[in-house]
Amino acid sequence: MSTRISTAGQPFQAAPQHAWFRRLMAWARGNLFPTPFDAALNLVIVALFAWLVASMLPWALLDATWSGGSRADCTGTGACWAFVLSRLDQFIYGFYPAAERWRVNLAGTVLILGLAALLIRAVPGKRVTGLLMLLVYPPFAFWLLKGGFLGLTGVQTDRWGGLMLTLVVGVSGIVLSFPIGVALALGRRSDLPVFHGLSVLFIELWRGLPMVTVLFMAIVMLPYFLPAGMKLDSLGLAIAGIVMFQSACLAEIVKGGLQAVPKGQYEAAKALGFGYWRTSVYIVLPQAIRIVIPGLVNNSIALLKDTTLVMVVGLFDLLNIVAAGSSDPRWLGSATEGYIFVGLVFWTLCFAMSRYSHRLEHSLRSRRQRLGGVS
Amino acid sequence: MRHRVGEIVCAAAMAALLAVPAAAGSNGTVDAIKKRGEVVCGVSTGQSTGMSTLDNKGDWQGFEVDFCRALAAALLGDATKVKFAPLEFKVAFASLQSGAVDLLARTATWTFSRDAELNLDWAGIYIYDGQGFMVAKKLNVSSAKELDGATICLTGGSTTELNLADYFRTNGMSYTPIVGNAREQNQQNLEAGRCDVYTNELGGLASSRTAMKNPDDWVLLPEVISKEPTGPVVRQDDPRFRDIVYWTLATLIAAEELGIKQANVREMASSSDNPEVKRILGTTGEFGAMLGLSKDWAVRMIEATGNYGEIFDRNLGQGSPVKLARGLNRLWTDGGLLYAPPFR
């Protein structure tokens, strides 16, 4: 190659570049163009992708309008991101009073910091942080968001909305349904007939009902059974419905994990003198849950997307507040931009969960291989 | 206004199943509202353009919303004493039945079977809507009778489809339907030229026209092929509340007829010589007390929202982006159907 000749005069600079280039070419030959057919296929895909980007780019970015107070300000041929940007506060906080929004920000920041401390391996003190996040954070966040006592003005839950509401419903659904689901799974495998029966009844009842029906019954039927004038909190009803439904599904997933733990593990624990609870907590559950991590995360992703059903009880989650925004006479015709925004937010959240589960599985697998345990 | 038939059947079945009076006693609803200090008004989920939507600040706006505010001003003397409960169509009737809301102010068409089976009452009609057609201006079509052989976009599974089939069969014409499942999809189909015509209620069509890239390129044809009367819906357990809701509407209409406006209502209350204006505004007689309302209830109401014409214009008419023509919703003196009983 000509490079070799021309670089001969300056060997110190050119050598590493040359090696880098050769490695890249080798990788490309091996992976992108191993046969003429693969090469053609890859070129077609690259061309299609380029065409897609080239046809989207003018609309999405180059000709887009970024600021304005109504659709009439979007005079260009591109997307009207002014719709999303000018209503961004509403999409994030719903109807939360503007002067109190720092409380939402604080609750969100603490949640992100807490999760980061738990997920980033280098941060020490996982046990303390985990306990704080599980036991102290939920009441703290509830106090911060709802207020009404200890010096904060009350904000009724019908003022909550948008992304904040989606996250409140999603996070509380995931956190609350996990212990209930595990307890139900243990109950289902229990030898005690009462626990076994009740667990089976609960699981089969809630798993067999469509989520919309559960919410529909909560909002329409419950008022008949309550004393006149008594009104339950819609958000509370929605979260309760989601937790019931999700914990039943989760119980079945955990049950699968319990069944996959070899019988020898139970027998070995018994031989060591462990009782039921110590066997479950220290021997069986850690192994069972490790097996079902993909299923658990899948369930959590489904739950997050199910939060859009809370519109049935009259709550505006992210999707519905954006859909409502695009019906405002001043923003008619902005539905596409709105739905793209909602799609991006949901995709980001779900993709983050999926990546985390992937990493968790990977690290658990490598640790297991290191320890030489069962696989 | 028009919804999937299945949903209606479902709501009707639920309501029939639950047809139990939620609050006994003849003045249950009015007393409950006064005790609570606010009216709970069931509206759409913010997706009914011009009727009930959320503005940039998250406040409710629209025709139905203003009607609820007028009712709150009449009943409680304060137009802000109203809470809006967003309801999906499938839970709307059942929520009213169960007492979760005091009234529905959303686009629910008044029909015989709903009135008879749901144990609910329509307290008047505030919008006379109906199914119409939107076409491109460049097609130079001036009447629906010229649409023989047209390709027509519509929402599937709704009564829109049935009305359209009836109309074309009656007039001996043929058409090709292109079925979409939402308004946005139909708009896109029409804009992309996949169909020549889009049929829906006039109110919905006017909104769709606003959403088009160039609204001036599209026209609504004059023919209206179905009746879609919509109005406030209340439970049957409190006749007094129904009267108050009805007279709120009738007074808004009468105010337009008599020229009482948001800007001049105080002035007219003190200086008008028209005996009917004096009775409405409480200058003479004890008309408010007959309904259990304050003497100046109508003054407060019109001061808060304006008369019918002003509410229509602000939310649906020329003063709004929707620019819906008044059509049947003109006063009877202008050839429309709005007619308030005499105030005496």
Side-chain angles (χ1 to χ4, degrees), chain B residues 38-58:
Chain B
E38 63 181 5
V39 177
V40 182
C41 206
V43 292
S44 81
T45 56
Q47 299 187 17
S48 191
T49 303
M51 301 302 273
S52 48
T53 50
L54 297 164
D55 67 9
N56 282 359
K57 292 199 286 292

Side-chain angles (χ1 to χ4, degrees), chain B residues 83-136:
Chain B
K83 191 176 153 189
F84 296 100
L87 298 173
E88 291 192 329
F89 179 74
K90 54 180 175 270
V91 301
F93 289 130
S95 294
L96 178 60
Q97 290 278 6
S98 75
V101 294
D102 297 319
L103 76 157
L104 296 180
R106 48 168 301 144
T107 47
T109 306
W110 189 357
T111 65
F112 177 88
S113 58
R114 283 183 185 171
D115 201 347
E117 287 177 346
L118 298 181
N119 275 1
L120 298 173
D121 271 339
W122 267 256
I125 295 171
Y126 51 43
I127 296 282
Y128 291 87
D129 206 343
Q131 188 173 338
F133 301 95
M134 178 160 79
V135 296

Side-chain angles (χ1 to χ4, degrees), chain A residues 87 90 158 216 324 327-328 331, chain B residues 46 49 54-56 58 83 91:
Chain A
R87 292 178 82 115
Q90 192 185 107
D158 57 7
F216 185 78
S327 302
D328 181 343
W331 289 111
Chain B
T49 303
L54 297 164
D55 67 9
N56 282 359
K83 191 176 153 189
V91 301

